[in-house]
Amino acid sequence: MAGLTAAAVAVVSFLAYQASADAPDSFAETKPRASDSASARPVQKPKPSQAPLAVPAESGTGTRVVYSLKDRRVWLVDAGDKASRTFTVMPSPVSPPPGAYQVNSRTGSVQGSDGVMIEHVVRFTNVDDVAIGFSAAQDGTMASPDPTSRTGGVRMKRADGDAMWTFATVGVKVVVVP
């Protein structure tokens, strides 16, 4: 058994030598010289312009709900422009155009236009006779809506719906960004 192992090591070593002897010079390892390391500068990765979950810069100032269509995310922003909470949402088939709105009505619990029982409904606009607002399904789901339906419910998890309900009273600004 030891003889077979020694023979296998010898064959692998020989093949490795042949491969390195036939390799082009551009594949050869270069060892850094002491003078290279003294003058070399470390490569820095570019920093993102803002934190990934930071409140979008184009969302205004003051107390507001910010809804990013592209990111499928909501921020609850206090008067000091700090997000007290941020969370993902499931957008509706009918979306509002970017702009500033105000919460215009709220409903504690109701059946959604998709037939799902929802709670903490916070409405802020209408698009082509479709009410647009935030809500949470009482069963806790955030299923993708039927893309052919004309619904405007932006769904969130129940805990996020509780936070939205507490934060977004009638008159609170809602800013929709692309």
Side-chain angles (χ1 to χ4, degrees), residues 11-78:
V11 169
V12 170
S13 297
F14 175 73
L15 292 174
Y17 169 76
Q18 272 191 326
S20 68
D22 292 338
D25 289 339
S26 63
F27 282 42
E29 275 188 48
T30 57
K31 293 182 181 175
R33 297 179 305 235
S35 61
D36 289 343
S37 63
S39 63
R41 292 186 183 171
V43 176
Q44 292 181 350
K45 293 181 182 177
K47 292 181 181 178
S49 58
Q50 69 179 28
L53 300 181
V55 177
E58 69 274 15
S59 69
T61 60
T63 302
R64 64 199 182 278
V65 174
V66 178
Y67 173 33
S68 172
L69 298 170
K70 176 184 68 150
D71 295 330
R72 297 179 169 200
R73 178 166 289 281
V74 167
W75 292 262
L76 305 180
V77 184
D78 65 23

